[in-house]
Short mmCIF file of all heavy atoms in Angstrom, two decimals:
data_model
loop_
_atom_site.label_atom_id
_atom_site.label_comp_id
_atom_site.label_asym_id
_atom_site.label_seq_id
_atom_site.Cartn_x
_atom_site.Cartn_y
_atom_site.Cartn_z
N ARG A 141 92.80 117.72 91.57
CA ARG A 141 91.51 118.23 91.99
C ARG A 141 90.50 118.29 90.94
O ARG A 141 90.85 118.41 89.82
CB ARG A 141 91.83 119.66 92.73
CG ARG A 141 92.63 119.56 93.90
CD ARG A 141 93.35 120.78 94.24
NE ARG A 141 94.18 120.72 95.43
CZ ARG A 141 95.41 120.21 95.45
NH1 ARG A 141 95.99 119.79 94.30
NH2 ARG A 141 96.17 120.12 96.54
N ILE A 142 89.25 118.40 91.39
CA ILE A 142 88.09 118.54 90.39
C ILE A 142 88.31 119.77 89.76
O ILE A 142 88.64 120.88 90.27
CB ILE A 142 86.78 118.61 91.17
CG1 ILE A 142 86.53 117.17 91.81
CG2 ILE A 142 85.61 119.04 90.35
CD1 ILE A 142 86.26 116.08 90.79
N GLY A 143 88.04 119.75 88.35
CA GLY A 143 88.26 120.87 87.53
C GLY A 143 89.57 120.83 86.73
O GLY A 143 89.72 121.47 85.75
N GLU A 144 90.52 119.97 87.22
CA GLU A 144 91.75 119.85 86.51
C GLU A 144 91.77 118.89 85.40
O GLU A 144 92.67 118.70 84.55
CB GLU A 144 92.90 119.58 87.48
CG GLU A 144 93.10 120.59 88.52
CD GLU A 144 94.14 120.21 89.66
OE1 GLU A 144 94.57 119.02 89.69
OE2 GLU A 144 94.64 121.13 90.35
N ASP A 145 90.70 118.00 85.40
CA ASP A 145 90.47 117.07 84.27
C ASP A 145 91.65 116.12 84.00
O ASP A 145 92.11 116.06 82.83
CB ASP A 145 90.09 117.75 83.01
CG ASP A 145 89.34 116.81 82.04
OD1 ASP A 145 88.77 115.87 82.46
OD2 ASP A 145 89.43 117.19 80.82
N ARG A 146 92.16 115.66 84.96
CA ARG A 146 93.37 114.67 84.85
C ARG A 146 92.83 113.27 84.69
O ARG A 146 91.72 112.90 85.05
CB ARG A 146 94.23 114.74 86.11
CG ARG A 146 94.92 116.13 86.25
CD ARG A 146 95.93 116.10 87.40
NE ARG A 146 96.38 117.42 87.81
CZ ARG A 146 97.35 117.66 88.65
NH1 ARG A 146 97.93 116.61 89.28
NH2 ARG A 146 97.77 118.87 88.99
N PRO A 147 93.66 112.37 84.10
CA PRO A 147 93.31 110.94 83.90
C PRO A 147 93.24 110.18 85.24
O PRO A 147 93.70 110.68 86.27
CB PRO A 147 94.37 110.40 82.94
CG PRO A 147 95.59 111.24 83.27
CD PRO A 147 95.07 112.62 83.61
N SER A 148 92.62 109.00 85.14
CA SER A 148 92.56 108.17 86.34
C SER A 148 94.05 107.71 86.68
O SER A 148 94.89 107.51 85.81
CB SER A 148 91.81 106.87 86.00
OG SER A 148 90.55 107.14 85.70
N ILE A 149 94.23 107.78 88.02
CA ILE A 149 95.58 107.47 88.59
C ILE A 149 95.45 106.36 89.62
O ILE A 149 94.56 106.39 90.52
CB ILE A 149 96.16 108.67 89.27
CG1 ILE A 149 96.39 109.82 88.27
CG2 ILE A 149 97.45 108.36 89.99
CD1 ILE A 149 97.49 109.55 87.27
N VAL A 150 96.30 105.38 89.60
CA VAL A 150 96.23 104.15 90.34
C VAL A 150 96.23 104.54 91.85
O VAL A 150 95.37 104.12 92.62
CB VAL A 150 97.37 103.16 90.01
CG1 VAL A 150 97.47 102.05 91.11
CG2 VAL A 150 97.13 102.57 88.62
N PHE A 151 97.19 105.30 92.29
CA PHE A 151 97.37 105.56 93.72
C PHE A 151 96.11 106.30 94.19
O PHE A 151 95.58 105.91 95.24
CB PHE A 151 98.57 106.44 94.06
CG PHE A 151 98.89 106.70 95.52
CD1 PHE A 151 99.62 105.77 96.21
CD2 PHE A 151 98.35 107.75 96.15
CE1 PHE A 151 99.80 105.89 97.58
CE2 PHE A 151 98.47 107.91 97.49
CZ PHE A 151 99.24 107.02 98.21
N ASN A 152 95.67 107.33 93.56
CA ASN A 152 94.48 108.07 94.01
C ASN A 152 93.27 107.11 94.02
O ASN A 152 92.45 107.29 94.87
CB ASN A 152 94.20 109.26 92.97
CG ASN A 152 95.42 110.16 92.93
OD1 ASN A 152 96.58 109.81 92.77
ND2 ASN A 152 95.15 111.44 93.09
N THR A 153 93.09 106.29 92.98
CA THR A 153 91.91 105.44 92.91
C THR A 153 91.87 104.47 94.13
O THR A 153 90.76 104.21 94.74
CB THR A 153 91.97 104.61 91.63
OG1 THR A 153 91.83 105.59 90.55
CG2 THR A 153 90.88 103.62 91.56
N ALA A 154 93.15 103.96 94.48
CA ALA A 154 93.20 103.03 95.66
C ALA A 154 92.70 103.76 96.93
O ALA A 154 92.02 103.11 97.84
CB ALA A 154 94.57 102.51 95.84
N GLN A 155 92.95 105.06 97.11
CA GLN A 155 92.59 105.69 98.32
C GLN A 155 91.11 105.93 98.36
O GLN A 155 90.36 105.96 99.47
CB GLN A 155 93.37 107.02 98.46
CG GLN A 155 94.90 106.93 98.30
CD GLN A 155 95.38 105.55 98.92
OE1 GLN A 155 95.10 105.20 100.08
NE2 GLN A 155 96.15 104.86 98.08
N VAL A 156 90.44 106.13 97.16
CA VAL A 156 89.11 106.24 97.17
C VAL A 156 88.38 104.85 97.42
O VAL A 156 87.30 104.83 98.05
CB VAL A 156 88.53 106.81 95.76
CG1 VAL A 156 86.99 106.93 95.75
CG2 VAL A 156 89.18 108.14 95.49
N ILE A 157 89.04 103.83 97.07
CA ILE A 157 88.57 102.49 97.43
C ILE A 157 88.40 102.42 98.87
O ILE A 157 87.41 101.82 99.44
CB ILE A 157 89.48 101.38 96.81
CG1 ILE A 157 89.35 101.27 95.37
CG2 ILE A 157 89.10 99.94 97.57
CD1 ILE A 157 90.35 100.30 94.72
N ARG A 158 89.37 102.93 99.59
CA ARG A 158 89.18 102.87 101.11
C ARG A 158 87.88 103.60 101.56
O ARG A 158 87.22 103.02 102.44
CB ARG A 158 90.40 103.62 101.75
CG ARG A 158 91.75 103.04 101.53
CD ARG A 158 92.85 103.96 102.09
NE ARG A 158 94.17 103.39 101.78
CZ ARG A 158 94.91 102.52 102.64
NH1 ARG A 158 94.32 102.17 103.81
NH2 ARG A 158 96.02 102.13 102.30
N GLY A 159 87.59 104.69 100.98
CA GLY A 159 86.34 105.35 101.32
C GLY A 159 85.05 104.54 100.85
O GLY A 159 84.07 104.54 101.62
N MET A 160 85.16 103.99 99.65
CA MET A 160 83.99 103.14 99.24
C MET A 160 83.73 101.93 100.19
O MET A 160 82.65 101.70 100.49
CB MET A 160 84.30 102.68 97.80
CG MET A 160 84.29 103.70 96.72
SD MET A 160 82.82 104.58 96.46
CE MET A 160 83.00 106.06 97.37
N LEU A 161 84.81 101.30 100.54
CA LEU A 161 84.59 100.16 101.49
C LEU A 161 84.08 100.55 102.85
O LEU A 161 83.20 99.91 103.34
CB LEU A 161 86.00 99.43 101.55
CG LEU A 161 86.43 98.72 100.23
CD1 LEU A 161 87.83 98.06 100.57
CD2 LEU A 161 85.40 97.70 99.75
N ALA A 162 84.62 101.69 103.31
CA ALA A 162 84.17 102.16 104.65
C ALA A 162 82.64 102.57 104.47
O ALA A 162 81.85 102.25 105.45
CB ALA A 162 85.00 103.41 105.08
N ALA A 163 82.22 103.16 103.44
CA ALA A 163 80.91 103.59 103.26
C ALA A 163 79.93 102.40 103.16
O ALA A 163 78.82 102.37 103.59
CB ALA A 163 80.75 104.49 101.98
N HIS A 164 80.48 101.35 102.40
CA HIS A 164 79.67 100.17 102.17
C HIS A 164 79.39 99.41 103.60
O HIS A 164 78.35 99.07 103.93
CB HIS A 164 80.28 99.20 101.28
CG HIS A 164 79.64 97.84 101.22
ND1 HIS A 164 80.30 96.72 101.73
CD2 HIS A 164 78.55 97.48 100.61
CE1 HIS A 164 79.49 95.73 101.60
NE2 HIS A 164 78.41 96.10 100.85
N THR A 165 80.48 99.27 104.37
CA THR A 165 80.45 98.71 105.66
C THR A 165 79.41 99.44 106.62
O THR A 165 78.52 98.86 107.25
CB THR A 165 81.81 98.73 106.39
OG1 THR A 165 82.61 97.96 105.57
CG2 THR A 165 81.69 98.10 107.83
N ARG A 166 79.51 100.78 106.52
CA ARG A 166 78.58 101.52 107.36
C ARG A 166 77.13 101.60 106.88
O ARG A 166 76.22 101.46 107.67
CB ARG A 166 79.00 102.95 107.54
CG ARG A 166 78.21 103.94 108.36
CD ARG A 166 78.24 103.42 109.85
NE ARG A 166 79.57 103.36 110.47
CZ ARG A 166 79.91 104.24 111.32
NH1 ARG A 166 79.25 105.20 111.68
NH2 ARG A 166 81.16 104.13 111.84
N SER A 167 76.94 101.72 105.64
CA SER A 167 75.48 101.92 105.06
C SER A 167 74.90 100.59 104.63
O SER A 167 73.67 100.54 104.48
CB SER A 167 75.62 102.84 103.92
OG SER A 167 76.27 102.33 102.78
N GLY A 168 75.74 99.70 104.12
CA GLY A 168 75.11 98.41 103.49
C GLY A 168 74.81 98.69 102.08
O GLY A 168 74.23 97.70 101.42
N ASP A 169 75.04 99.85 101.53
CA ASP A 169 74.74 100.16 100.17
C ASP A 169 75.63 99.50 99.23
O ASP A 169 76.87 99.68 99.22
CB ASP A 169 74.77 101.64 99.99
CG ASP A 169 74.18 102.12 98.70
OD1 ASP A 169 74.19 101.43 97.70
OD2 ASP A 169 73.64 103.28 98.57
N ALA A 170 75.14 98.50 98.36
CA ALA A 170 75.91 97.73 97.50
C ALA A 170 76.63 98.51 96.47
O ALA A 170 77.63 98.13 95.78
CB ALA A 170 75.04 96.68 96.86
N ARG A 171 76.12 99.80 96.09
CA ARG A 171 76.77 100.58 95.09
C ARG A 171 78.22 100.96 95.51
O ARG A 171 79.03 100.99 94.58
CB ARG A 171 75.96 101.93 94.88
CG ARG A 171 74.57 101.75 94.31
CD ARG A 171 73.79 103.08 94.25
NE ARG A 171 73.86 103.72 95.60
CZ ARG A 171 73.93 105.01 95.70
NH1 ARG A 171 73.95 105.87 94.64
NH2 ARG A 171 73.81 105.57 96.89
N PHE A 172 78.45 101.07 96.75
CA PHE A 172 79.85 101.48 97.14
C PHE A 172 80.68 100.27 96.96
O PHE A 172 81.88 100.42 96.55
CB PHE A 172 79.88 101.85 98.67
CG PHE A 172 79.08 103.13 98.94
CD1 PHE A 172 78.05 103.13 99.88
CD2 PHE A 172 79.36 104.27 98.25
CE1 PHE A 172 77.41 104.29 100.07
CE2 PHE A 172 78.71 105.55 98.47
CZ PHE A 172 77.69 105.54 99.41
N ALA A 173 80.27 99.08 97.24
CA ALA A 173 81.10 97.85 97.09
C ALA A 173 81.34 97.66 95.64
O ALA A 173 82.43 97.23 95.14
CB ALA A 173 80.35 96.61 97.69
N GLU A 174 80.34 97.81 94.83
CA GLU A 174 80.45 97.62 93.36
C GLU A 174 81.46 98.62 92.70
O GLU A 174 82.21 98.25 91.85
CB GLU A 174 79.06 97.74 92.72
CG GLU A 174 78.11 96.66 93.02
CD GLU A 174 76.68 96.99 92.67
OE1 GLU A 174 76.40 98.14 92.20
OE2 GLU A 174 75.79 96.19 93.00
N ALA A 175 81.37 99.80 93.23
CA ALA A 175 82.34 100.90 92.69
C ALA A 175 83.79 100.52 93.11
O ALA A 175 84.66 100.66 92.33
CB ALA A 175 81.95 102.26 93.25
N ALA A 176 84.00 100.17 94.34
CA ALA A 176 85.26 99.67 94.77
C ALA A 176 85.77 98.57 93.93
O ALA A 176 87.00 98.55 93.61
CB ALA A 176 85.26 99.28 96.24
N GLN A 177 84.97 97.53 93.63
CA GLN A 177 85.41 96.34 92.90
C GLN A 177 85.80 96.76 91.39
O GLN A 177 86.74 96.33 90.91
CB GLN A 177 84.38 95.34 92.95
CG GLN A 177 84.86 93.97 92.29
CD GLN A 177 83.96 92.82 92.54
OE1 GLN A 177 82.86 93.01 93.25
NE2 GLN A 177 84.23 91.74 92.04
N ARG A 178 84.99 97.65 90.90
CA ARG A 178 85.35 98.14 89.54
C ARG A 178 86.56 98.89 89.48
O ARG A 178 87.37 98.66 88.55
CB ARG A 178 84.18 99.06 89.09
CG ARG A 178 84.11 99.30 87.58
CD ARG A 178 82.73 99.56 87.09
NE ARG A 178 82.17 100.87 87.67
CZ ARG A 178 82.26 101.99 87.18
NH1 ARG A 178 83.02 102.16 86.00
NH2 ARG A 178 81.78 103.10 87.67
N ALA A 179 86.85 99.59 90.56
CA ALA A 179 88.13 100.44 90.64
C ALA A 179 89.27 99.38 90.85
O ALA A 179 90.35 99.52 90.21
CB ALA A 179 88.08 101.35 91.80
N GLY A 180 89.07 98.41 91.72
CA GLY A 180 90.18 97.43 91.91
C GLY A 180 90.42 96.60 90.61
O GLY A 180 91.61 96.31 90.36
N ASP A 181 89.45 96.24 89.81
CA ASP A 181 89.60 95.60 88.63
C ASP A 181 90.41 96.40 87.61
O ASP A 181 91.24 95.89 86.91
CB ASP A 181 88.34 95.13 88.02
CG ASP A 181 87.69 94.00 88.81
OD1 ASP A 181 88.33 93.43 89.69
OD2 ASP A 181 86.52 93.75 88.62
N TRP A 182 90.12 97.72 87.57
CA TRP A 182 90.95 98.63 86.73
C TRP A 182 92.41 98.68 87.12
O TRP A 182 93.28 98.58 86.33
CB TRP A 182 90.36 100.04 86.77
CG TRP A 182 91.20 100.92 85.95
CD1 TRP A 182 91.37 100.97 84.59
CD2 TRP A 182 92.10 101.92 86.46
NE1 TRP A 182 92.27 102.01 84.23
CE2 TRP A 182 92.78 102.49 85.35
CE3 TRP A 182 92.40 102.39 87.70
CZ2 TRP A 182 93.71 103.61 85.53
CZ3 TRP A 182 93.34 103.42 87.88
CH2 TRP A 182 93.94 103.99 86.81
N ILE A 183 92.65 98.69 88.49
CA ILE A 183 93.99 98.74 89.00
C ILE A 183 94.76 97.47 88.53
O ILE A 183 95.95 97.52 88.04
CB ILE A 183 93.96 99.01 90.44
CG1 ILE A 183 93.58 100.35 90.84
CG2 ILE A 183 95.47 98.64 91.06
CD1 ILE A 183 93.48 100.57 92.32
N LEU A 184 94.14 96.31 88.64
CA LEU A 184 94.66 95.02 88.22
C LEU A 184 94.97 95.08 86.67
O LEU A 184 96.03 94.57 86.26
CB LEU A 184 93.80 93.85 88.54
CG LEU A 184 93.54 93.53 90.00
CD1 LEU A 184 92.75 92.23 90.09
CD2 LEU A 184 94.79 93.42 90.85
N SER A 185 94.16 95.64 85.94
CA SER A 185 94.29 95.59 84.51
C SER A 185 95.43 96.38 84.01
O SER A 185 95.96 96.18 82.95
CB SER A 185 93.01 96.06 83.82
OG SER A 185 92.86 97.53 83.96
N VAL A 186 95.99 97.42 84.82
CA VAL A 186 97.07 98.27 84.39
C VAL A 186 98.30 97.99 85.07
O VAL A 186 99.27 98.74 84.94
CB VAL A 186 96.66 99.83 84.43
CG1 VAL A 186 95.43 100.05 83.55
CG2 VAL A 186 96.39 100.23 85.93
N GLN A 187 98.38 96.95 85.83
CA GLN A 187 99.66 96.58 86.53
C GLN A 187 100.68 96.05 85.58
O GLN A 187 100.30 95.34 84.58
CB GLN A 187 99.30 95.39 87.56
CG GLN A 187 100.49 95.16 88.49
CD GLN A 187 100.20 94.15 89.57
OE1 GLN A 187 99.30 93.29 89.38
NE2 GLN A 187 100.91 94.22 90.68
N GLU A 188 101.90 96.51 85.72
CA GLU A 188 103.00 96.13 84.87
C GLU A 188 103.44 94.67 85.15
O GLU A 188 103.16 94.04 86.23
CB GLU A 188 104.19 96.95 85.03
CG GLU A 188 103.86 98.50 84.91
CD GLU A 188 103.72 98.94 83.45
OE1 GLU A 188 104.12 98.28 82.55
OE2 GLU A 188 103.22 100.07 83.31
N SER A 189 104.18 94.09 84.28
CA SER A 189 104.60 92.68 84.41
C SER A 189 105.60 92.43 85.60
O SER A 189 105.62 91.37 86.08
CB SER A 189 105.36 92.19 83.13
OG SER A 189 106.42 92.97 82.83
#
Side-chain angles (χ1 to χ4, degrees):
R141 293 159 181 81
I142 290 296
E144 295 176 348
D145 197 28
R146 298 189 188 183
S148 298
I149 296 294
V150 167
F151 186 87
N152 302 50
T153 296
Q155 308 325 310
V156 182
I157 289 175
R158 293 175 184 269
M160 293 293 99
L161 293 176
H164 172 255
T165 298
R166 182 58 64 102
S167 70
D169 190 329
R171 294 176 305 149
F172 296 124
E174 291 163 2
Q177 188 170 357
R178 196 153 63 90
D181 289 347
W182 174 74
I183 290 173
L184 295 188
S185 75
V186 297
Q187 189 176 28
E188 308 281 347
S189 59

